[in-house]
Amino acid sequence: MQVISSKDNEFIKHIKKLKDKKYRDLNNEYIIEGIKIIEEAINEKANIKQVVICDDCEKTSNIPKDLMYEIAKQECVYVTNKLFESLTDVTNPQGILAIVEKNAMKSTSPGSEELDYNQDIIVALDDIQDPGNLGTILRTVDSIGINQILVSKGTADSYNPKVVRSTMGAIFRVKIIECEDLENTLKEIQKHKFEIVVTSLQTKNSIYDIDYQKKVIVIGNEANGVEEKIQKLADKKVKIPMLGKTESLNASVATGIILYEYVRQKMKR
């Protein structure tokens, strides 16, 4: 078994470059790290290119035998402890990471052929900036059984390591459709008899006042909300009723509240 120890190794350089979004986009790959998320990737049949294992890390002994058996079926690359530490972004690394093919799709035209119109709701993100918010939203979308999401060009990269960790495996189950022009994509979706719903403080309508069937829920930027041109496009504007003095909520919290109102209505039906 060969163990890589040189930081000048071309494969090691490739892994380090994958920390940059442009390089991830160019190679259509991203990094996942840790025992649990690699197990999720295997279970969800993600396209794993290589698994990188720390040859002399004590924590790799924590990998269950049945999982190690599945990992052994992949292309495995072994590195020294020192070299692994130069690759990881995690405070307490478990000594294992993997390179995975992205499952994102780009919507370069307003045709939106990539979308599944059979679902009750579609979630669209308008320039969400915080990776933690984005990861949590992806996890919430997955939790309610929705398998797709629209993200605007200005939204944080879905394959940023922090986003990937925050999704807790949802990254493998939710199809991410990256929109060059979210406004045009939404206009096309309206042609399929979906209504656009945006969150806004400039309305008296509550999130509890609408029926969540054939709706696109647009979640806006943390600081500025949904941009004006999409506000004008909206069929309905809603807000979350609040009894305290706080006027707005964290984007991922707001998304969770809205989506679980959809769940409540669906269960009631």
Side-chain angles (χ1 to χ4, degrees), residues 112-125:
S112 302
E113 295 85 357
E114 307 90 348
L115 275 167
D116 177 5
Y117 290 104
N118 294 316
Q119 303 220 318
D120 297 326
I121 61 172
I122 297 169
V123 177
L125 305 184

Side-chain angles (χ1 to χ4, degrees), residues 98-110:
I99 298 173
V100 182
E101 183 178 29
K102 290 167 62 175
N103 69 344
M105 304 182 73
K106 286 194 180 291
S107 177
T108 54
S109 67

